[in-house]
Amino acid sequence: MMSTQQMIPIWSAGILTLLWFTLLFRINRNTSATRRFPGFLLAMLCWPVVVMGELWQLGGGASVLLSALSVLGIPLVLWGAYRNLMAMIWRRPALLRWPFWAGLITLTGLLVAQFFLLQDDWQQWAGFAPTGDPIRNWSVYAGGLLTSFLLLYIGIVLIEQVQQYHYELPMQVVDTEMYQLKGIAGSAGFMVAMAFFMVVLVAGVAFGLLPFYQWLAWFHLGIALTLLILLSQFSRAQKVSPSPFDHHALSNAPKMSEARAQAILKRAEAAVISQKAYKELGLKLQTFAERADLSASDICLALLAIKKTHFRGFIYQFRMKYAKQVLLGSDAKLDSVTKRLKLGANGTASQTFLRYLESRR
C-alpha cells in the first residue's frame, strides 16, 4: 500500500495527462499547428512517454523498465518542438540534428548499462530512484544529467532562433507587430531555468546532499510540465512570416554592384507605385518580390547597399508620402490616417509622422 507522499507524484502525472488531453482537444479544433508545420504532432504524441512510468503506477501497476524508458521520450519531444519552430520561422531551415541523435543514442546506451549493471537493484528501488553511491549508480545519474543538459541546450537554441527571427523581421515584413512570435521564447526560458534546477537536483541526490527517495518521479514530472508549457505555446494560433532568405547562399554570394543595385531598386519602386503596396497592411517582402518578378534576397541586398535601410523602412517612406498627400488633400485627421497606415507604434504614430514632415521641410 502506497503512502500519501508516494501517491502525490503519481496523481500529479495524472493531472498533467488530463491537461495534455485538453491541449490535444484544443489543437484538434485549431488544426493550423499540425497541418502547417511538421514536428508538432510528433512532440505531442511523444509527450506521454515522459510520464508513462508514473501513469502505469496510477493504474495499479509498477514497472521499473517503463520508468527507465521515460527519458527516451524527451529527445523526441524536443526534436518535434525544435523542428516545428524552424518550419515556422524559416522557409529553408538548416536543421541541427546531432544533439537529438546524440542524446537519444547515449540515453539508450545508459539504459542498457543500467539493465546489466543494476539489474539486481531495480526491484528494490521504490519508483526506480537510487540515492547516493555515485560510483555504483553512475549510469542513472549520468542519464539525468544528460537529459538536463539537453533540455538546457535546446532551450537556449530555441531562444536564439526566436531572437534572430524578430531581429530580421524588418528585413522581410512591413508591419512587424503582426508577425511577432508570442510565448515561445518565454516558455523556452522557463525550460532553461528548469534544466538548471534538474542539474542541481541530480547532483545533490548523487552525492547524498538531498536524500530525496522519489526524486526520479519528480524529475520526470518537472520535465513533463516544462515540455507541456512549451507545447501549449506552439499550439497557439500565431501569424508568422518564414524568412525567405538563404543565409548560406547570401554569405557566399559575390558583392552586388552599385549599377545592379540601382536597377533593382528602380524596378522595386515602380512596383510599389503600380501595386500601391504602401496601402497593404501585413505586406511581406516575399509576396512583393513575386509580384514584381524580383528576388527577395536581391531587393534586401540592394536596399542595404544603396539606401542603408530594410524593406520595412523602404515601404514606410512611401506610406509617409501617401499620408502627407491624404492630409493635404482632405479633411482627414492625423490620428486616423497614421492609425490606418500603422505609421509607428501605438501612441507614437502621430509623433512619428510629424518628425517625417519636419525632416522634409
Side-chain angles (χ1 to χ4, degrees), residues 166-187:
H166 285 157
Y167 176 77
E168 293 189 1
L169 263 183
M171 298 182 184
Q172 54 150 330
V173 299
V174 181
D175 306 297
T176 54
E177 68 279 2
M178 296 176 62
Y179 297 98
Q180 290 182 351
L181 283 173
K182 300 177 179 63
I184 295 179
S187 59

Side-chain angles (χ1 to χ4, degrees), residues 327 332-341 349-351:
L327 289 172
K333 295 183 178 180
L334 176 62
D335 287 340
S336 64
V337 174
T338 54
K339 184 178 181 180
R340 177 163 57 91
L341 293 175
S350 299
Q351 291 85 342

Side-chain angles (χ1 to χ4, degrees), residues 137-187:
N137 302 319
W138 67 269
S139 56
V140 181
Y141 303 134
L145 290 175
L146 175 62
T147 302
S148 302
F149 282 119
L150 181 62
L151 208 70
L152 172 66
Y153 179 73
I154 299 304
I156 294 175
V157 169
L158 294 180
I159 294 173
E160 289 178 344
Q161 290 295 329
V162 173
Q163 289 178 341
Q164 186 176 357
Y165 168 75
H166 285 157
Y167 176 77
E168 293 189 1
L169 263 183
M171 298 182 184
Q172 54 150 330
V173 299
V174 181
D175 306 297
T176 54
E177 68 279 2
M178 296 176 62
Y179 297 98
Q180 290 182 351
L181 283 173
K182 300 177 179 63
I184 295 179
S187 59

Side-chain angles (χ1 to χ4, degrees), residues 81-101:
Y82 167 76
R83 189 182 178 193
N84 184 39
L85 175 65
M86 295 298 285
M88 290 174 71
I89 62 180
W90 307 112
R91 289 183 183 273
R92 302 177 184 88
L95 297 177
L96 189 68
R97 292 181 171 85
W98 71 264
F100 306 97
W101 279 110

